[in-house]
């Protein structure tokens, strides 16, 4: 379906999801701009500069824009969670959208929608409980970060914007979480983490892109949705599926939880936490997954 030349502004457009989404939007005839800390290298994309820490933003970035897709945010697992890092993780998500809303408030524009990432960290570690969009948030740092992030995005309702928030699971692609999991497997020392029973709310990167496109193209689509595959797996099942795909045996014992806590500190909840998340709401909204099951998802990524 060709677009009616709508103009999309992306924050976090140079990340893995941002790059793939940009490509697909351009191929569908959309005009795409990026808000970035550094000048862009893509001749097909207008890049406007901002510095969230300093509170500076190029006011022209919203000219002619219909929809803003907010993907910006410092990497959750990139560094240890010191107090300074925690502040960065929250500010990079909340202050960034706040800057955009300040512009919208002061300048004439035609922005009608904001589609934002959030994360399943909103629910955090909940054992075997099946979590829906109605479930309450947890009260640890990850949850606090997501609650503040979503609240900052919701400020856009003052401007009568259509707001969509996607609580994103563990995105499987050639890099990121999957690459980290696969390294020990490739070296024949792969093994589940902790007791291996914790639920991993995964999603294939193509389904992530398609979900953003679904939200961009369906103007009556609004609210909060879990961005996860309909078939979650445990950490043990995921590790076994990766080993099978890579034709490697799994014989190492589980990695003890205390080792990870020593190495990662509070951030270890990202890998030790169990979050079983429902995709029912997005399926009910008419979204069709290309990769609902883990084996075909991994096959596509590794081949």
């Amino acid at each position: 379906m060709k677009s009616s030349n709508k103009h999309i502004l992306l924050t976090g457009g140079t990340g893995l999801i941002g790059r793939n989404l940009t490509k697909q939007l351009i191929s569908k005839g959309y005009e795409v701009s990026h808000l970035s800390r550094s000048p862009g290298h893509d001749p097909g994309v207008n890049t406007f500069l901002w510095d969230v820490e300093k509170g500076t933003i190029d006011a022209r970035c919203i000219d002619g824009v219909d929809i803003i897709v907010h993907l910006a945010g410092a990497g959750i697992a990139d560094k240890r969670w010191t107090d300074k890092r925690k502040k960065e993780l929250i500010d990079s998500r909340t202050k960034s959208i706040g800057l955009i809303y300040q512009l919208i408030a002061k300048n004439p524009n035609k922005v009608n929608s904001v589609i934002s990432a959030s994360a399943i960290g909103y629910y955090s570690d909940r054992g075997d409980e099946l979590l829906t969009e109605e479930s309450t948030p947890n009260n640890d740092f990850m949850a606090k970060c997501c609650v503040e992030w979503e609240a900052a995005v919701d400020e856009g309702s003052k401007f009568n914007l259509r707001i969509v928030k996607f609580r994103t699971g563990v995105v499987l692609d050639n890099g990121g979480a999957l690459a980290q999991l696969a390294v020990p497997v490739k070296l024949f020392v792969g093994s589940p983490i902790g007791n291996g029973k914790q639920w991993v709310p995964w999603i294939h990167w193509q389904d992530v892109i398609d979900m953003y496109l679904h939200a961009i193209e369906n103007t009556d689509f609004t609210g909060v949705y879990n961005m996860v595959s309909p078939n979650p797996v445990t950490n043990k099942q995921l590790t076994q599926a990766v080993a099978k795909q890579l034709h490697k045996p799994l014989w190492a014992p589980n990695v003890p939880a205390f080792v990870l806590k020593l190495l990662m500190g509070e951030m270890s909840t990202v890998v030790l936490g169990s979050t079983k998340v429902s995709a029912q709401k997005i399926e009910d909204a008419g979204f069709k997954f290309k990769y609902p099951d883990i084996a075909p998802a991994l096959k596509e990524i590794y081949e």
Side-chain angles (χ1 to χ4, degrees):
M1 175 183 127
K2 271 286 183 198
S3 83
S4 54
N5 291 357
K6 281 206 177 108
H7 187 166
I8 316 281
L9 174 66
L10 258 72
T11 74
T14 55
L16 210 114
I17 297 301
R19 286 200 307 272
N20 282 311
L21 181 56
T22 297
K23 254 190 241 156
Q24 295 209 8
L25 284 169
I26 290 172
S27 76
K28 281 174 167 277
Y30 286 90
E31 186 181 342
V32 180
S33 301
H34 285 175
L35 256 177
S36 179
R37 282 175 309 207
S38 49
H41 303 296
D42 185 339
V45 176
N46 253 334
T47 299
F48 297 95
L49 298 183
W50 68 343
D51 185 322
V52 175
E53 267 177 71
K54 292 192 179 123
T56 58
I57 184 168
D58 186 333
R60 297 168 305 168
C61 69
I62 58 169
D63 291 355
V65 167
D66 300 285
I67 297 173
I68 293 166
V69 178
H70 180 42
L71 306 174
I76 290 290
D78 291 358
K79 295 180 188 169
R80 269 186 91 101
W81 288 353
T82 58
D83 287 346
K84 180 174 179 268
R85 180 61 178 173
K86 283 180 178 176
K87 187 176 178 327
E88 251 172 72
L89 290 172
I90 292 178
D91 287 354
S92 62
R93 289 163 170 78
T94 57
K95 287 196 169 165
S96 48
I97 193 68
L99 266 181
I100 294 172
Y101 286 157
Q102 283 171 23
L103 274 190
I104 288 176
K106 289 186 205 143
N107 299 275
N109 64 81
K110 52 185 259 216
V111 178
N112 58 56
S113 310
V114 168
I115 300 165
S116 178
S118 177
I120 51 90
Y122 181 91
Y123 313 111
S124 204
D125 184 10
R126 303 285 266 272
D128 292 328
E129 180 189 349
L130 183 64
L131 300 152
T132 71
E133 289 80 356
E134 304 299 308
S135 302
T136 53
N138 212 323
N139 50 16
D140 61 1
F141 169 69
M142 255 327 295
K144 181 175 177 278
C145 178
C146 293
V147 167
E148 291 193 30
W149 189 359
E150 290 188 16
V153 172
D154 285 339
E155 288 288 307
S157 55
K158 285 185 206 159
F159 311 110
N160 295 325
L161 300 175
R162 170 177 72 106
I163 293 179
V164 180
K165 292 167 292 186
F166 285 121
R167 289 179 187 152
T168 316
V170 178
V171 180
L172 300 186
D173 53 40
N174 286 315
L178 191 58
Q180 289 170 346
L181 182 80
V183 169
V185 175
K186 286 175 180 166
L187 299 172
F188 299 98
V189 293
S191 61
I193 288 170
N195 64 15
K197 292 179 185 159
Q198 64 274 39
W199 290 97
V200 180
W202 68 277
I203 183 167
H204 186 283
W205 67 266
Q206 184 62 59
D207 284 325
V208 171
I209 304 297
D210 290 350
M211 228 179 263
Y212 277 109
L213 290 170
H214 187 83
I216 286 165
E217 291 178 348
N218 296 286
T219 50
D220 52 353
F221 184 87
T222 183
V224 64
Y225 293 85
N226 291 330
M227 188 179 253
V228 294
S229 134
N231 299 303
V233 291
T234 63
N235 175 269
K236 185 178 182 181
Q237 288 167 331
L238 178 60
T239 310
Q240 286 168 337
V242 170
K244 191 175 173 192
Q245 183 60 44
L246 297 175
H247 308 293
K248 297 282 195 250
L250 281 183
W251 51 265
N254 287 21
V255 181
F258 78 86
V259 174
L260 283 157
K261 285 178 184 156
L262 280 173
L263 289 173
M264 299 171 77
E266 197 181 343
M267 192 168 83
S268 63
T269 57
V270 175
V271 285
L272 292 171
S274 175
T275 318
K276 188 180 187 184
V277 180
S278 165
Q280 192 63 51
K281 186 178 173 186
I282 190 84
E283 288 190 300
D284 290 346
F287 182 76
K288 299 268 183 291
F289 284 87
K290 284 200 176 91
Y291 298 97
D293 296 298
I294 194 72
L298 291 173
K299 189 171 193 277
E300 189 284 328
I301 289 164
Y302 285 122
E303 292 181 359

Coordinates of all heavy atoms in Angstrom, one line a residue, residues 154-227:
D154 N 2.5 10.4 27.1 CA 1.1 10.8 27.3 C 0.8 12.3 27.4 O -0.3 12.7 27.2 CB 0.5 10.1 28.5 CG 0.3 8.6 28.3 OD1 0.2 8.2 27.1 OD2 0.3 7.8 29.3
E155 N 1.9 13.1 27.7 CA 1.7 14.5 27.8 C 1.2 15.1 26.4 O 0.6 16.1 26.3 CB 3.0 15.2 28.1 CG 3.5 15.0 29.5 CD 2.6 15.8 30.5 OE1 2.5 17.0 30.3 OE2 2.1 15.2 31.5
G156 N 1.4 14.3 25.3 CA 1.0 14.7 24.0 C -0.5 14.8 23.8 O -1.0 15.4 22.9
S157 N -1.2 14.2 24.8 CA -2.7 14.2 24.7 C -3.2 15.7 24.8 O -4.3 16.0 24.4 CB -3.3 13.3 25.7 OG -2.9 13.6 26.9
K158 N -2.4 16.5 25.4 CA -2.8 18.0 25.6 C -3.0 18.6 24.2 O -3.6 19.6 24.0 CB -1.7 18.7 26.2 CG -1.5 18.5 27.7 CD -0.4 19.5 28.2 CE 0.2 19.0 29.5 NZ 1.5 19.6 29.7
F159 N -2.3 18.0 23.2 CA -2.3 18.6 21.8 C -3.2 17.8 20.9 O -3.2 17.9 19.7 CB -0.9 18.7 21.2 CG 0.1 19.3 22.1 CD1 1.1 18.5 22.7 CD2 0.1 20.6 22.4 CE1 2.0 19.1 23.6 CE2 1.0 21.2 23.3 CZ 2.0 20.4 23.9
N160 N -4.1 17.0 21.6 CA -5.0 16.1 20.8 C -4.4 15.2 19.9 O -4.9 14.9 18.8 CB -6.1 17.0 20.1 CG -7.0 17.7 21.0 OD1 -7.3 17.2 22.1 ND2 -7.4 18.9 20.7
L161 N -3.2 14.7 20.2 CA -2.5 13.8 19.4 C -3.0 12.3 19.6 O -3.4 12.0 20.7 CB -1.0 13.8 19.7 CG -0.3 15.1 19.5 CD1 1.2 15.0 20.0 CD2 -0.3 15.6 18.0
R162 N -3.0 11.6 18.5 CA -3.2 10.1 18.7 C -1.9 9.5 19.3 O -0.8 9.8 18.7 CB -3.5 9.5 17.3 CG -3.5 8.0 17.3 CD -3.9 7.5 15.9 NE -2.8 7.6 15.0 CZ -2.1 6.6 14.5 NH1 -2.2 5.4 14.9 NH2 -1.1 6.8 13.6
I163 N -2.0 8.8 20.4 CA -0.8 8.3 21.0 C -0.9 6.7 21.0 O -1.9 6.1 21.4 CB -0.7 8.8 22.4 CG1 -0.4 10.3 22.3 CG2 0.4 8.1 23.2 CD1 -0.2 11.1 23.5
V164 N 0.2 6.1 20.5 CA 0.4 4.7 20.6 C 1.7 4.4 21.3 O 2.7 5.0 21.1 CB 0.5 4.1 19.1 CG1 0.6 2.6 19.2 CG2 -0.8 4.5 18.3
K165 N 1.6 3.4 22.2 CA 2.8 3.0 23.0 C 3.0 1.5 22.8 O 2.1 0.8 23.1 CB 2.7 3.4 24.4 CG 2.7 4.9 24.7 CD 2.3 5.3 26.1 CE 0.8 4.9 26.3 NZ 0.3 5.4 27.7
F166 N 4.2 1.1 22.5 CA 4.5 -0.3 22.3 C 5.5 -0.7 23.4 O 6.6 -0.3 23.5 CB 5.2 -0.6 20.9 CG 4.2 -0.5 19.8 CD1 4.4 0.4 18.7 CD2 3.1 -1.4 19.7 CE1 3.5 0.4 17.7 CE2 2.2 -1.4 18.7 CZ 2.4 -0.5 17.6
R167 N 5.0 -1.6 24.3 CA 5.9 -2.2 25.3 C 6.7 -3.3 24.7 O 6.2 -4.5 24.5 CB 5.1 -2.7 26.5 CG 4.5 -1.5 27.3 CD 3.6 -2.0 28.5 NE 3.0 -0.8 29.0 CZ 1.8 -0.8 29.7 NH1 1.2 -1.9 29.9 NH2 1.3 0.3 30.1
T168 N 7.9 -3.0 24.3 CA 8.7 -3.9 23.5 C 9.4 -5.0 24.3 O 9.9 -4.7 25.3 CB 9.8 -3.0 22.7 OG1 9.1 -1.9 22.2 CG2 10.4 -3.8 21.6
G169 N 9.3 -6.2 23.7 CA 10.0 -7.3 24.4 C 11.5 -7.4 24.0 O 12.1 -6.4 23.5
V170 N 12.0 -8.6 24.1 CA 13.4 -8.8 23.7 C 13.4 -9.0 22.2 O 12.9 -10.0 21.6 CB 14.0 -10.1 24.4 CG1 15.4 -10.4 23.9 CG2 13.9 -10.0 25.9
V171 N 14.0 -8.0 21.5 CA 14.0 -8.1 20.0 C 15.1 -9.0 19.5 O 16.3 -8.8 19.8 CB 14.1 -6.6 19.4 CG1 14.1 -6.7 17.9 CG2 13.0 -5.7 19.9
L172 N 14.7 -10.0 18.7 CA 15.7 -10.9 18.2 C 16.1 -10.4 16.8 O 15.3 -10.3 15.9 CB 15.2 -12.3 18.1 CG 14.7 -12.9 19.5 CD1 14.3 -14.4 19.3 CD2 15.8 -12.8 20.5
D173 N 17.4 -10.2 16.6 CA 17.9 -9.8 15.3 C 19.4 -10.2 15.3 O 19.8 -11.1 16.1 CB 17.8 -8.3 15.1 CG 18.4 -7.5 16.3 OD1 19.5 -7.9 16.8 OD2 17.8 -6.5 16.7
N174 N 20.2 -9.7 14.3 CA 21.6 -10.2 14.2 C 22.5 -9.7 15.3 O 23.6 -10.2 15.5 CB 22.1 -9.8 12.9 CG 21.5 -10.7 11.8 OD1 21.5 -11.9 11.9 ND2 21.1 -10.1 10.7
G175 N 22.0 -8.7 16.1 CA 22.9 -8.1 17.1 C 22.2 -8.3 18.5 O 21.5 -9.3 18.7
G176 N 22.5 -7.4 19.3 CA 21.7 -7.3 20.6 C 21.7 -8.6 21.5 O 22.7 -9.3 21.5
A177 N 20.6 -8.8 22.1 CA 20.5 -9.9 23.0 C 20.8 -11.3 22.5 O 21.5 -12.1 23.1 CB 19.0 -9.9 23.6
L178 N 20.4 -11.5 21.2 CA 20.6 -12.8 20.6 C 22.1 -13.1 20.4 O 22.5 -14.2 20.7 CB 19.8 -12.9 19.3 CG 19.7 -14.3 18.7 CD1 19.0 -15.3 19.7 CD2 19.0 -14.3 17.4
A179 N 22.8 -12.1 20.0 CA 24.2 -12.2 19.7 C 24.9 -12.6 21.0 O 25.8 -13.5 21.1 CB 24.8 -11.0 19.1
Q180 N 24.5 -11.9 22.1 CA 25.2 -12.2 23.4 C 24.9 -13.6 23.9 O 25.7 -14.3 24.4 CB 24.7 -11.2 24.5 CG 25.2 -9.8 24.2 CD 24.6 -8.7 25.1 OE1 23.6 -9.0 25.7 NE2 25.2 -7.6 25.1
L181 N 23.6 -14.1 23.6 CA 23.2 -15.4 24.0 C 23.9 -16.5 23.2 O 24.3 -17.5 23.7 CB 21.7 -15.6 23.8 CG 21.1 -16.9 24.2 CD1 20.8 -16.9 25.7 CD2 19.7 -17.1 23.5
A182 N 24.1 -16.2 21.9 CA 24.7 -17.2 21.0 C 26.2 -17.4 21.1 O 26.7 -18.4 20.8 CB 24.4 -16.7 19.5
V183 N 26.9 -16.4 21.7 CA 28.4 -16.5 21.8 C 28.8 -17.7 22.6 O 29.5 -18.6 22.1 CB 29.1 -15.2 22.4 CG1 30.5 -15.5 22.7 CG2 29.0 -14.1 21.4
P184 N 28.3 -17.9 23.8 CA 28.7 -19.1 24.6 C 28.2 -20.4 23.9 O 28.9 -21.4 24.0 CB 28.0 -18.9 25.9 CG 27.1 -17.8 25.8 CD 27.5 -17.0 24.6
V185 N 27.1 -20.3 23.2 CA 26.6 -21.5 22.5 C 27.5 -21.9 21.4 O 27.9 -23.1 21.2 CB 25.1 -21.3 22.0 CG1 24.7 -22.5 21.1 CG2 24.1 -21.0 23.1
K186 N 28.0 -20.9 20.7 CA 28.9 -21.2 19.6 C 30.3 -21.7 20.1 O 30.9 -22.5 19.4 CB 29.2 -19.9 18.8 CG 28.1 -19.5 17.9 CD 28.4 -18.1 17.2 CE 27.2 -17.7 16.3 NZ 27.3 -16.3 16.0
L187 N 30.6 -21.3 21.3 CA 31.9 -21.8 21.9 C 31.7 -23.1 22.7 O 32.6 -23.5 23.4 CB 32.4 -20.8 22.9 CG 32.8 -19.4 22.2 CD1 33.1 -18.4 23.3 CD2 33.9 -19.5 21.2
F188 N 30.5 -23.8 22.5 CA 30.2 -25.0 23.1 C 30.0 -24.9 24.6 O 30.1 -25.9 25.3 CB 31.2 -26.1 22.8 CG 31.3 -26.4 21.3 CD1 32.3 -25.9 20.5 CD2 30.3 -27.3 20.7 CE1 32.3 -26.2 19.2 CE2 30.4 -27.6 19.4 CZ 31.4 -27.0 18.6
V189 N 29.9 -23.7 25.2 CA 29.7 -23.6 26.6 C 28.3 -22.9 26.9 O 28.1 -22.4 28.0 CB 30.8 -22.8 27.3 CG1 32.1 -23.5 27.2 CG2 31.0 -21.4 26.7
G190 N 27.5 -22.9 25.9 CA 26.1 -22.3 26.1 C 25.4 -23.0 27.2 O 25.5 -24.2 27.3
S191 N 24.6 -22.3 27.9 CA 23.8 -22.9 28.9 C 22.7 -21.9 29.4 O 22.9 -20.7 29.3 CB 24.6 -23.4 30.1 OG 25.2 -22.2 30.7
P192 N 21.6 -22.5 29.9 CA 20.6 -21.5 30.4 C 21.1 -20.7 31.6 O 22.1 -21.1 32.2 CB 19.5 -22.5 30.9 CG 19.7 -23.8 30.2 CD 21.2 -23.9 30.0
I193 N 20.4 -19.6 31.9 CA 20.9 -18.7 32.9 C 20.0 -18.9 34.1 O 18.7 -19.0 34.0 CB 20.8 -17.3 32.3 CG1 21.9 -17.1 31.3 CG2 20.9 -16.2 33.5 CD1 21.8 -15.8 30.5
G194 N 20.6 -18.8 35.3 CA 19.8 -19.0 36.5 C 19.1 -20.4 36.5 O 19.7 -21.4 36.1
N195 N 17.8 -20.5 36.8 CA 17.1 -21.8 36.8 C 16.6 -22.1 35.4 O 16.1 -23.2 35.1 CB 16.0 -21.9 37.8 CG 14.9 -20.9 37.5 OD1 14.8 -20.3 36.4 ND2 14.0 -20.7 38.5
G196 N 16.8 -21.1 34.4 CA 16.3 -21.4 33.1 C 14.8 -21.4 32.9 O 14.3 -21.5 31.7
K197 N 14.1 -21.2 33.9 CA 12.6 -21.3 33.8 C 12.0 -19.9 33.6 O 10.8 -19.8 33.4 CB 12.0 -21.8 35.1 CG 12.3 -23.3 35.3 CD 11.7 -23.8 36.6 CE 12.2 -25.3 36.9 NZ 12.1 -25.6 38.3
Q198 N 12.9 -18.8 33.6 CA 12.3 -17.5 33.5 C 11.8 -17.3 32.1 O 12.4 -17.7 31.1 CB 13.3 -16.4 33.9 CG 14.5 -16.3 33.1 CD 15.6 -17.2 33.6 OE1 15.4 -18.4 33.9 NE2 16.9 -16.7 33.6
W199 N 10.6 -16.6 31.9 CA 10.0 -16.4 30.6 C 10.7 -15.2 29.9 O 11.0 -14.2 30.5 CB 8.5 -16.1 30.8 CG 7.8 -17.3 31.2 CD1 7.4 -17.6 32.5 CD2 7.3 -18.3 30.4 NE1 6.7 -18.8 32.5 CE2 6.6 -19.2 31.2 CE3 7.4 -18.6 29.0 CZ2 6.0 -20.4 30.7 CZ3 6.8 -19.7 28.5 CH2 6.1 -20.6 29.4
V200 N 11.0 -15.4 28.6 CA 11.6 -14.4 27.7 C 10.5 -13.9 26.7 O 10.1 -14.7 25.9 CB 12.8 -15.0 27.0 CG1 13.4 -13.9 26.1 CG2 13.8 -15.6 27.9
P201 N 10.1 -12.7 26.9 CA 9.1 -12.2 25.9 C 9.7 -11.7 24.7 O 9.9 -10.5 24.5 CB 8.4 -11.1 26.8 CG 9.5 -10.6 27.7 CD 10.5 -11.7 27.9
W202 N 10.0 -12.6 23.8 CA 10.8 -12.2 22.6 C 9.9 -11.8 21.4 O 8.7 -12.0 21.4 CB 11.6 -13.5 22.1 CG 10.7 -14.6 21.6 CD1 10.0 -15.5 22.4 CD2 10.3 -14.8 20.3 NE1 9.2 -16.3 21.6 CE2 9.4 -15.9 20.3 CE3 10.6 -14.3 19.0 CZ2 8.8 -16.5 19.1 CZ3 10.0 -14.8 17.9 CH2 9.1 -15.9 17.9
I203 N 10.5 -11.1 20.4 CA 9.8 -10.8 19.2 C 10.8 -10.7 18.1 O 12.0 -10.2 18.3 CB 9.0 -9.5 19.3 CG1 8.2 -9.2 18.0 CG2 9.8 -8.3 19.7 CD1 7.1 -8.1 18.2
H204 N 10.5 -11.2 16.9 CA 11.4 -11.1 15.7 C 11.4 -9.6 15.2 O 10.4 -9.0 15.2 CB 10.9 -12.0 14.6 CG 11.8 -12.1 13.4 ND1 11.8 -11.1 12.4 CD2 12.6 -13.1 13.0 CE1 12.7 -11.5 11.5 NE2 13.2 -12.7 11.8
W205 N 12.6 -9.1 14.8 CA 12.7 -7.7 14.4 C 11.7 -7.3 13.3 O 11.2 -6.2 13.3 CB 14.2 -7.4 14.0 CG 14.6 -8.0 12.8 CD1 15.3 -9.2 12.7 CD2 14.5 -7.6 11.4 NE1 15.6 -9.5 11.4 CE2 15.1 -8.5 10.6 CE3 13.9 -6.4 10.9 CZ2 15.1 -8.4 9.2 CZ3 13.9 -6.3 9.5 CH2 14.5 -7.3 8.6
Q206 N 11.4 -8.2 12.4 CA 10.5 -7.9 11.3 C 9.1 -7.6 11.8 O 8.4 -6.7 11.3 CB 10.5 -9.0 10.2 CG 9.6 -8.6 9.0 CD 10.1 -7.4 8.2 OE1 11.3 -7.4 7.7 NE2 9.3 -6.4 8.1
D207 N 8.7 -8.4 12.8 CA 7.4 -8.1 13.4 C 7.3 -6.8 14.1 O 6.3 -6.1 14.2 CB 7.0 -9.3 14.4 CG 6.5 -10.5 13.6 OD1 5.9 -10.4 12.5 OD2 6.8 -11.6 14.1
V208 N 8.5 -6.4 14.7 CA 8.6 -5.0 15.3 C 8.3 -3.9 14.3 O 7.5 -3.0 14.5 CB 10.0 -4.8 16.0 CG1 10.2 -3.4 16.4 CG2 10.2 -5.8 17.1
I209 N 9.1 -4.1 13.1 CA 8.9 -3.1 12.1 C 7.5 -3.0 11.6 O 6.9 -2.0 11.4 CB 9.8 -3.4 10.9 CG1 11.3 -3.5 11.3 CG2 9.7 -2.4 9.7 CD1 11.9 -2.3 11.8
D210 N 6.9 -4.2 11.3 CA 5.5 -4.3 10.8 C 4.5 -3.7 11.8 O 3.5 -3.2 11.4 CB 5.2 -5.8 10.5 CG 5.9 -6.4 9.3 OD1 6.6 -5.6 8.6 OD2 5.9 -7.6 9.1
M211 N 4.8 -3.9 13.1 CA 3.9 -3.3 14.1 C 3.9 -1.8 14.1 O 2.9 -1.1 14.2 CB 4.2 -3.8 15.5 CG 3.0 -4.3 16.2 SD 3.4 -5.0 17.9 CE 3.5 -6.7 17.6
Y212 N 5.1 -1.2 13.9 CA 5.2 0.2 13.7 C 4.5 0.7 12.5 O 3.7 1.7 12.5 CB 6.7 0.7 13.7 CG 7.2 0.9 15.1 CD1 8.2 0.0 15.6 CD2 6.8 1.9 16.0 CE1 8.7 0.1 16.9 CE2 7.3 2.0 17.2 CZ 8.2 1.1 17.7 OH 8.7 1.3 19.0
L213 N 4.6 -0.1 11.4 CA 3.9 0.3 10.1 C 2.4 0.2 10.3 O 1.7 1.0 9.8 CB 4.4 -0.6 9.0 CG 5.8 -0.4 8.5 CD1 6.2 -1.6 7.6 CD2 6.0 0.9 7.8
H214 N 2.0 -0.8 11.0 CA 0.6 -1.0 11.3 C 0.0 0.2 12.1 O -1.1 0.7 11.7 CB 0.4 -2.3 12.2 CG -1.0 -2.7 12.4 ND1 -1.8 -3.4 11.5 CD2 -1.9 -2.5 13.5 CE1 -3.0 -3.6 12.0 NE2 -3.1 -3.1 13.2
A215 N 0.8 0.7 13.0 CA 0.3 1.9 13.8 C 0.4 3.2 13.0 O -0.5 4.1 13.1 CB 1.2 2.1 15.0
I216 N 1.3 3.2 12.0 CA 1.4 4.4 11.2 C 0.3 4.4 10.2 O -0.3 5.5 9.9 CB 2.8 4.4 10.5 CG1 3.9 4.8 11.4 CG2 2.8 5.4 9.3 CD1 5.3 4.5 11.0
E217 N 0.0 3.3 9.6 CA -1.0 3.2 8.5 C -2.5 3.2 9.0 O -3.4 3.5 8.2 CB -0.7 2.0 7.6 CG 0.6 2.3 6.9 CD 1.1 1.2 6.0 OE1 0.6 0.1 6.0 OE2 2.0 1.5 5.2
N218 N -2.7 2.7 10.2 CA -4.1 2.6 10.7 C -4.4 3.8 11.7 O -4.0 3.7 12.8 CB -4.3 1.3 11.4 CG -4.2 0.2 10.4 OD1 -5.1 0.0 9.5 ND2 -3.1 -0.6 10.4
T219 N -5.0 4.8 11.2 CA -5.1 6.0 12.0 C -6.1 5.9 13.2 O -6.1 6.8 14.0 CB -5.6 7.2 11.1 OG1 -6.7 6.8 10.3 CG2 -4.5 7.6 10.1
D220 N -6.9 4.8 13.2 CA -7.8 4.7 14.4 C -7.1 3.8 15.4 O -7.7 3.5 16.5 CB -9.1 4.1 13.9 CG -9.0 2.8 13.1 OD1 -7.8 2.5 12.7 OD2 -10.0 2.2 12.8
F221 N -5.9 3.4 15.2 CA -5.2 2.5 16.1 C -4.5 3.4 17.2 O -3.8 4.3 16.9 CB -4.1 1.8 15.3 CG -3.3 0.8 16.0 CD1 -3.7 -0.5 16.1 CD2 -2.1 1.1 16.6 CE1 -3.0 -1.5 16.8 CE2 -1.3 0.1 17.2 CZ -1.8 -1.2 17.4
T222 N -4.9 3.1 18.4 CA -4.4 4.0 19.5 C -4.3 3.2 20.8 O -4.8 2.1 21.0 CB -5.4 5.2 19.7 OG1 -4.9 6.1 20.7 CG2 -6.8 4.7 20.0
G223 N -3.5 3.8 21.8 CA -3.4 3.1 23.1 C -2.1 2.4 23.3 O -1.1 2.6 22.5
V224 N -2.1 1.5 24.3 CA -0.8 0.8 24.6 C -0.9 -0.7 24.2 O -2.0 -1.3 24.4 CB -0.5 1.0 26.1 CG1 -1.5 0.3 27.0 CG2 0.9 0.4 26.4
Y225 N 0.1 -1.2 23.6 CA 0.1 -2.6 23.2 C 1.5 -3.3 23.6 O 2.5 -2.6 23.5 CB 0.0 -2.7 21.6 CG -1.3 -2.2 21.2 CD1 -1.6 -0.9 20.9 CD2 -2.4 -3.1 21.0 CE1 -2.8 -0.4 20.5 CE2 -3.6 -2.7 20.5 CZ -3.8 -1.3 20.3 OH -5.1 -0.9 19.9
N226 N 1.4 -4.5 23.9 CA 2.6 -5.3 24.1 C 3.2 -5.7 22.7 O 2.5 -6.2 21.9 CB 2.3 -6.6 24.9 CG 1.9 -6.3 26.3 OD1 2.3 -5.3 26.9 ND2 1.0 -7.1 26.9
M227 N 4.5 -5.5 22.6 CA 5.2 -5.8 21.3 C 6.0 -7.0 21.6 O 7.2 -7.0 21.8 CB 6.0 -4.6 20.9 CG 6.7 -4.7 19.6 SD 7.6 -3.2 19.2 CE 6.6 -2.4 18.0

